[in-house]
Amino acid sequence: MTTFLNHLTVLSVLTLLSAPALYGLHRERRTDRQLRGAAAGRSGAEGVRVRTQKSSSRSTVPSTATW
């Protein structure tokens, strides 16, 4: 039983120490994928379309701030 707890302790410490590194690696790979997509002329990562707003559809309501 003691050996099992020792193995479990080592495994949990290893998980706690490697989790941030694995998360950072995943985030960096996603950023690289987005940069490659932008360089190739696609908008967004993995084919996600970004909706752009035309200047004629912008709101023309004047500001009501009276400072």
Side-chain angles (χ1 to χ4, degrees):
M1 186 69 177
T2 304
T3 305
F4 174 72
L5 290 177
N6 288 339
H7 286 291
L8 189 63
T9 302
V10 169
L11 184 63
S12 61
V13 168
L14 179 67
T15 303
L16 286 174
L17 291 176
S18 63
L22 292 175
Y23 176 73
L25 179 67
H26 172 70
R27 187 172 178 179
E28 181 132 348
R29 289 182 62 130
R30 183 179 59 209
T31 303
D32 289 342
R33 190 169 47 242
Q34 288 175 346
L35 288 173
R36 277 195 307 268
R42 294 190 314 240
S43 60
E46 292 135 6
V48 177
R49 292 187 180 200
V50 177
R51 192 171 173 196
T52 58
Q53 185 177 19
K54 296 180 181 177
S55 62
S56 61
S57 64
R58 290 187 181 156
S59 175
T60 57
V61 177
S63 175
T64 58
T66 56
W67 292 89

